[in-house]
Amino acid sequence: MRFLPTVLLMLSLAVTSAVAEEKTDTEDSVPEALGFVEWVVMKDTRLRLKARLDTGAKTSSLHAVNVEEFTRNEERWVSFEIPLGDHEDQPTEGEFAHDDVVMVLERPVRRTVLIKRKGAPSQRRYVVDLEFCIAGTMHTTQFSLTDRGKFSYPVLLGRRFMRDDNILVDSSDSFIAGKECEYSTLEELAEEQQAKLVR
């Protein structure tokens, strides 16, 4: 019976530890709340765009034009352009007009999807993986590439992103992210594109 207090103490410590671990797991799984519209910054270019968080869409989409497939190292790749004049979201120092700057990107093709559209022919879209920052945190998700020039938001973030990254959407508010992501100015983006053309 001498060992009984020691055994009880060990059991007590084990239970306390388990509770602490459970509490930590619970805290880690608390969803992050974001507004139905937030700023996103694309990783490689530091291009800033408005994004609408849409629970009605499964796959995210990105505004892109002149989408063309090509082969690199026997793999399917796609090149596409993002004309900044279509959505004038990039901060500027006044040296350039948004219409003067077009971002050109290349990415491996993840897959293609066939989009059925009401009252219009079906459309096949390329899907690529892209890294982006939202609310101060980096994420990666799949984006279908499509011309969103007529829409208010160049980026749409769908349920796959929200599910994988534990995001809740506050449909009553926008731009509520507590942290910001670093972005480039329009002039810096123009210089970057010019440097690519010179190479």
Side-chain angles (χ1 to χ4, degrees):
M1 297 297 292
R2 291 180 186 173
F3 299 106
L4 186 58
T6 303
V7 171
L8 288 175
L9 177 61
M10 289 175 66
L11 284 173
S12 175
L13 288 173
V15 170
T16 303
S17 176
V19 170
E21 286 179 10
E22 183 178 342
K23 184 176 180 183
T24 301
D25 291 342
T26 303
E27 287 175 352
D28 289 344
S29 65
V30 173
E32 180 176 11
L34 296 175
F36 71 95
V37 178
E38 295 285 357
W39 291 111
V40 299
V41 176
M42 310 313 289
K43 180 187 175 186
D44 295 341
T45 59
R46 304 214 322 180
L47 169 64
R48 188 181 80 160
L49 299 167
K50 279 194 192 88
R52 181 164 70 90
L53 282 75
D54 185 359
T55 57
K58 182 177 181 181
T59 303
S60 302
S61 62
L62 172 69
H63 175 51
V65 299
N66 297 328
V67 182
E68 295 183 4
E69 183 179 337
F70 66 96
T71 302
R72 174 176 291 170
N73 298 328
E74 299 183 357
E75 294 182 347
R76 294 174 70 199
W77 279 62
V78 69
S79 66
F80 55 96
E81 298 177 357
I82 304 176
L84 302 195
D86 290 346
H87 301 90
E88 299 184 355
D89 295 330
Q90 203 69 23
T92 176
E93 297 169 358
E95 296 176 26
F96 287 90
H98 284 84
D99 286 329
D100 296 334
V101 184
V102 176
M103 303 297 296
V104 180
L105 302 175
E106 297 178 345
R107 292 292 184 279
V109 175
R110 171 75 179 255
R111 59 191 174 93
T112 58
V113 292
L114 186 64
I115 305 297
K116 294 181 180 179
R117 301 182 296 171
K118 200 170 186 179
S122 298
Q123 184 183 68
R124 186 162 294 282
R125 297 180 187 171
Y126 292 97
V127 177
V128 298
D129 289 327
L130 289 171
E131 290 184 83
F132 64 98
C133 178
I134 186 170
T137 304
M138 292 302 304
H139 301 269
T140 302
T141 196
Q142 297 178 25
F143 285 88
S144 67
L145 303 176
T146 185
D147 188 342
R148 295 183 57 83
K150 295 180 181 178
F151 293 92
S152 300
Y153 307 106
V155 176
L156 183 146
L157 295 174
R159 293 193 310 275
R160 179 180 278 114
F161 156 69
M162 299 177 208
R163 177 199 66 202
D164 294 346
D165 294 87
N166 205 17
I167 303 294
L168 283 180
V169 181
D170 183 347
S171 60
S172 67
D173 209 349
S174 57
F175 302 110
I176 63 173
K179 295 180 181 178
E180 292 187 4
C181 304
E182 291 186 11
Y183 53 83
S184 298
T185 64
L186 184 65
E187 287 69 24
E188 289 170 333
L189 292 180
E191 289 177 8
E192 177 185 322
Q193 286 300 299
Q194 189 62 36
K196 284 183 179 179
L197 293 174
V198 171
R199 289 174 194 165

